[in-house]
Amino acid sequence: MNKPLRRVAIFCGLLIFSLLIRDNWLQFVDGDSLKNDPHNRRVLINEYAKPRGDIIVGGKAVTGHKTTGDSDFQYERTYTDGAEWAPVTGFASQVYGTTLLEGVEDKILTGDDDRLFFNRTIDMLTGKQQQGGDVVTTLNSKAQDAAFKGLGDKKGAVAAINPQTGAILALASTPSYDPSTIADGSAKDSKAWSALQADKNQPMLNRALRQTYPPGSTFKIVTAAAALDNGLYSSIDEPTDSPLPYTLPGTTTTLNNEGPLPCHNATLKVALEVSCNTVFGHMGAQLGQAKMLAQADKFGFNKSLDIPVRTVASNFSNGMNSSQVALSSIGQFNTAATPLQMAMVAGAVANNGKLMTPYMVDQLRAPNLNVVQENSPKELDQAMTPQTAQKIQGMMEAVVSGGTGTMAQIPGVTVGGKTGTAQHGENNSGLPYAWFISYAKTAQGSPVAVAVVVEDGNANREEISGGGLAAPIAKSVMEAVLNK
């Protein structure tokens, strides 16, 4: 071979070698990223070319699918009671993607999860259409229904858990939306999406998991736990040596109570029963920043969780002065919590101090109903000693039997609770948030703990209270779990 031909052959060989390298690089290195690229229309076509698996509650699907007649997107997601379940399911849209359980468990639901490889292989060999797997939740349909209907046209959220396991029983958020209205790419769905995005009430916001509020007096449970665990008091019937009036440390500002309450030198039990700001503010300042922060962290503050949907972290600040610690200890200043976080606080009390990790997926199942993953209860932290928890149970039960939470009473059931009316807005200019956290205790233990927050912009300021607005909703959720 002469020299020019040899050079051409070598050059052609290098080109072929480069193409082979590039081809293998695209297939084995960039393959997954290209396959999952949101701009790759083939991914969406493949996803909606087969029936999507279902999200299951109490043995029944709250999702479904229907054929579209479209040559590309053959199937479309449907929802049963979509607005009620949207804070759990999220949405699966041919245009706008997926959120919440629809997003986190997308590969199981589409059938593309690696754990379903055997099922896909069998379907391919038998010529059967590929299907998605199912997500079996821990949710209780009666509790969810009670929570959603209890909130009604009010803005707010409810979270309910099993304190002994951490299983989530209800997650309601209002106002809500129907995910079916944005499931496809029609002009009607596009209009619905635009309306949802423009709505100032944020119906697509999951307030139970991703909105923090000042918890107000419900946070006094955390402060009481810090006081008892750190030996500030040995008994709930011990006088707290709290002044009235109480001036915040380093200021001339007087901390007020809601009305003429018996808060001067009140016992811990009485102070919680009537919700004395002065007692718990003074208590927090005495304990100091480090002890209060440590106690809040034990309850789950300052950390986000995957349940498996990611929650936002509730907040108890660091670097505060004594007056700020006092305000934070009554659930004000920078203290902020999600409804799920406050359900965890009530649950830890009910479970004798042991805080369980919340979760809302019980099983992931293959299309043939084989279980590919099963979740089990896990301890998150020991929020307080069992002795402290039992003392606080006595205090919370007194709140319901004869204090500010009497509207949560359930005949024949021991109920513990704590009300809260949290200020918000500059100089308390906004309508306060009504809170109630609670648990129900039976002979078998404490099967449910609930947190309710209501932002009722239509109520008169004087009518907003945790005991009046939030406690009846919590009661209905507890009754639903107990089959009362």
Side-chain angles (χ1 to χ4, degrees), residues 181-203:
T181 62
I182 56 172
D184 65 37
S186 67
K188 182 180 178 182
D189 283 38
S190 177
K191 185 177 179 180
W193 174 264
S194 297
L196 288 169
Q197 298 303 301
D199 193 330
K200 64 179 182 180
N201 290 314
Q202 297 180 282

Side-chain angles (χ1 to χ4, degrees), residues 350-398:
N351 198 35
N352 291 326
K354 184 183 293 185
L355 177 64
M356 304 301 291
T357 301
Y359 66 102
M360 65 174 170
V361 173
D362 183 32
Q363 294 178 342
L364 300 178
R365 295 193 314 211
N368 62 3
L369 303 185
N370 286 341
V371 176
V372 298
Q373 179 180 314
E374 187 161 16
N375 294 320
S376 57
K378 296 180 179 64
E379 183 177 346
L380 183 63
D381 210 331
Q382 185 71 33
M384 71 202 98
T385 66
Q387 295 78 14
T388 291
Q390 288 158 15
K391 290 173 183 176
I392 296 178
Q393 287 172 20
M395 293 161 62
M396 291 180 69
E397 288 159 20

